[in-house]
Amino acid sequence: VKPENVHLTLKFLGDIDPGNVENISSTMKAASAKSAPFSLTATGIGVFPNMKRARVLWAGLTEGVAELIDLQKELDAALVSCGFKREKRPFRGHLTLARFRDRMNPARLESALKDAGGAHVGQWSVEELILFKSDLRPTGPKYEKLAVHALALNSQG
């Protein structure tokens, strides 16, 4: 994945009616106002769905996860008013680092992941929610920002 395309998905919306973008954006703005900025740390890597059929290499999240889950739940609940269903599966925040086009050798992959262990991937400040439009291309996805809303809760009380 190109570094500029690495992102954390809180809610996948699928195909949406362009006429609904403003309503979704307003809903996101209200949800973002209920969360203060926070730090997030990514440590450790793994694969989806499993070693034998690995398609995605991901980095896990270790610090700031409680705040992230609160934000995701707030957003998920708010988007019900826009016609989206609540997620039934538990949220598992991760960063997609790579996608495998070809089948990987499970033994070599497992060895590489073991060698990487709990590698520190990065730390950053989460300060905004972004509504992205993705255009899937043979060369990889191209993302366009449709709306950006700052996390705005005043943590000073």
Side-chain angles (χ1 to χ4, degrees):
V1 175
K2 294 177 182 176
E4 63 270 18
N5 285 348
V6 174
H7 62 277
L8 180 61
T9 300
L10 296 182
K11 176 85 172 170
F12 180 76
L13 304 180
D15 290 330
I16 60 172
D17 181 335
N20 201 16
V21 169
E22 191 163 323
N23 189 30
I24 293 168
S25 177
S26 294
T27 302
M28 288 175 63
K29 183 176 183 178
S32 67
K34 296 179 181 179
S35 182
F38 59 95
S39 289
L40 200 57
T41 301
T43 305
I45 57 175
V47 295
F48 288 139
N50 57 49
M51 289 291 179
K52 289 184 179 180
R53 295 187 352 236
R55 304 302 296 157
V56 172
L57 176 71
W58 53 263
L61 304 173
T62 53
E63 292 179 31
V65 175
E67 293 92 336
L68 180 66
I69 290 172
D70 288 346
L71 177 59
Q72 187 276 334
K73 284 181 179 178
E74 184 66 42
L75 181 63
D76 193 43
L79 287 169
V80 169
S81 70
C82 296
F84 296 97
K85 293 184 178 176
R86 283 184 180 247
E87 280 296 325
K88 292 181 181 175
R89 298 175 294 174
F91 176 68
R92 304 245 190 262
H94 66 278
L95 301 173
T96 297
L97 302 177
R99 296 184 188 282
F100 303 121
R101 294 183 197 270
D102 299 320
R103 185 165 181 210
M104 302 296 293
N105 177 311
R108 288 184 62 200
L109 183 57
E110 188 169 12
S111 176
L113 292 178
K114 187 176 180 181
D115 289 346
H120 178 76
V121 178
Q123 182 176 29
W124 64 99
S125 179
V126 178
E127 299 174 351
E128 58 193 15
L129 283 180
I130 303 172
L131 176 60
F132 281 110
K133 174 184 176 184
S134 60
D135 181 14
L136 303 179
R137 300 174 175 191
T139 56
K142 181 175 192 250
Y143 297 107
E144 176 186 350
K145 292 181 184 180
L146 299 180
V148 180
H149 299 290
L151 300 186
L153 181 67
N154 183 347
S155 59
Q156 304 301 317

